[in-house]
Amino acid sequence: MKKDRLRLRLRLRKKLKNIFFTSTLTLACLFSSSLAQTPQDIPVEPAKSVMKIEVNDGLLSVEISDAEFGNVIKEIAEKAKFKAEISSDVALKKISTTFKNIEVERGVRRLLTIMKEKDFTISYNTAGLIDKLEIYGGGVISRPVGNPQKNPARQQRPFQQRVTPPSPLPPPTTLPQ
């Protein structure tokens, strides 16, 4: 009888161990699968474009996120009252940055630096403010509609070697010894 009880206890322990092990394993699998979702299961929202541009008293404040560079420059040009022409390949690039209350020219240069654009021209008016911004970027410049070019392309003169004029002083003379 004692042997039967002992066997019964051992069987019960084995069953309890098996139940505990399987339930622990099941819980671990459920918990890990809920944490480790595959990238296909997670919904991804496209980045939202933010473009807040203010020009007050010659100071530029910008908060842009994933905005097209061409739209940013056109908006700044409109608010700061200067003309802007930008090549189509540069205009489509995306930019994200934020800064507040800096001079318009410095802000425009900062944006060009962020975009790593080195091929541009800034023209100024008599007051020293930006009159026109042209960004070339190696592509075709998109010109505003209905705004013909004021200055037709100029031809360069061929290079001429500069001739030094004769000196107004007579050549130095040597004294006899």
Side-chain angles (χ1 to χ4, degrees):
M1 189 155 191
K2 282 187 173 184
K3 283 185 179 183
D4 289 335
R5 281 188 190 166
L6 187 60
R7 284 184 190 155
L8 189 61
R9 281 186 186 168
L10 288 174
R11 281 186 200 161
L12 187 61
R13 276 190 186 167
K14 267 187 177 180
K15 284 184 181 181
L16 286 175
K17 281 183 183 179
N18 286 341
I19 291 172
F20 177 75
F21 177 73
T22 16
S23 62
T24 307
L25 184 62
T26 306
L27 285 174
C29 289
L30 289 174
F31 185 69
S32 66
S33 69
S34 68
L35 287 179
Q37 292 180 346
T38 60
Q40 296 94 7
D41 298 340
I42 301 170
V44 178
E45 292 182 26
K48 294 179 182 176
S49 178
V50 176
M51 191 166 78
K52 295 179 184 176
I53 298 169
E54 294 178 12
V55 177
N56 294 323
D57 297 327
L59 298 177
L60 176 65
S61 296
V62 165
E63 181 183 337
I64 46 180
S65 174
D66 199 41
E68 286 186 359
F69 186 58
N71 293 339
V72 171
I73 292 296
K74 295 287 183 182
E75 183 84 15
I76 293 171
E78 183 181 306
K79 291 185 177 185
K81 296 180 177 41
F82 64 85
K83 297 174 191 167
E85 296 177 0
I86 185 167
S87 71
S88 56
D89 59 333
V90 176
L92 297 176
K93 291 181 181 178
K94 300 288 185 177
I95 184 170
S96 298
T97 189
T98 302
F99 54 83
K100 291 186 178 194
N101 297 328
I102 63 172
E103 295 170 348
V104 174
E105 179 191 354
R106 192 167 161 213
V108 168
R109 287 184 182 272
R110 180 180 286 188
L111 293 173
L112 290 166
T113 302
I114 290 170
M115 295 302 294
K116 298 179 181 172
E117 282 304 317
K118 297 179 182 176
D119 196 8
F120 63 90
T121 303
I122 300 177
S123 304
Y124 299 91
N125 60 18
T126 55
L129 302 173
I130 296 178
D131 185 47
K132 186 175 184 180
L133 171 65
E134 294 176 282
I135 305 171
Y136 306 107
V140 177
I141 292 181
S142 62
R143 302 213 180 268
V145 178
N147 187 8
Q149 266 186 306
K150 292 180 182 176
N151 297 333
R154 296 181 184 177
Q155 292 182 348
Q156 275 190 329
R157 289 185 266 164
F159 178 74
Q160 296 176 352
Q161 189 171 6
R162 182 176 266 200
V163 178
T164 56
S167 174
L169 299 174
T173 57
T174 55
L175 296 173
Q177 290 181 355

